Amino acid sequence: MKLPNIFESDTQPLEFSAGQVIFAAGDSGDAMFVVRRGEVDLQIGGVSVEVVGEDGFFGEMALIEAGPRTATAVARTDCALIPINERRFQFMIQEVPFFALTMLRVLSRRLRNIDSKAD
């Protein structure tokens, strides 16, 4: 599930090279990321659980609940990421219903995927 291109014009993307760790499990987090270009591999315990492509997002749990990162995010390819801080996240949840709905759908899909791998 992808977010609309609502973050393109006003936020400078962060650039990561293939293989570079964006954040590691256990790190504290104050932002989520939208993939503007490239792919990011989400890993739990060294095992890939999802590849996030262009216009997808990850790291949202850091903004939903306080606590350490539960996954490690690694640039699978060279990529450009748009960081979304808590203030902007809260604004989007309140003002853009599609954003909130998309967020819930992705979280639900991710939980189902992890549950199916546990079987």
Side-chain angles (χ1 to χ4, degrees), residues 23-29 42-47 49 58-62 65-73 107 110-111 114:
F23 59 73
D27 289 352
S28 62
L42 301 180
Q43 303 172 357
I44 297 176
V47 176
V49 294
F58 63 96
E60 69 284 345
M61 286 178 63
E65 64 176 1
R69 301 277 190 186
T70 58
T72 297
L107 287 170
R110 286 180 176 158
L111 284 171
I114 289 173

Side-chain angles (χ1 to χ4, degrees), residues 41-79:
D41 192 26
L42 301 180
Q43 303 172 357
I44 297 176
V47 176
S48 178
V49 294
E50 183 175 351
V51 175
V52 181
E54 292 182 12
D55 296 327
F57 63 89
F58 63 96
E60 69 284 345
M61 286 178 63
L63 300 178
I64 294 171
E65 64 176 1
R69 301 277 190 186
T70 58
T72 297
V74 179
R76 186 177 185 139
T77 64
D78 291 349
C79 59

Side-chain angles (χ1 to χ4, degrees), residues 61-104:
M61 286 178 63
L63 300 178
I64 294 171
E65 64 176 1
R69 301 277 190 186
T70 58
T72 297
V74 179
R76 186 177 185 139
T77 64
D78 291 349
C79 59
L81 307 177
I82 299 172
I84 306 298
N85 64 23
E86 186 171 4
R87 190 184 89 198
R88 190 168 194 190
F89 177 78
Q90 291 292 335
F91 174 82
M92 295 301 297
I93 292 291
Q94 293 173 1
E95 300 298 325
V96 184
F98 179 75
F99 178 82
L101 184 57
T102 300
M103 183 79 46
L104 290 169

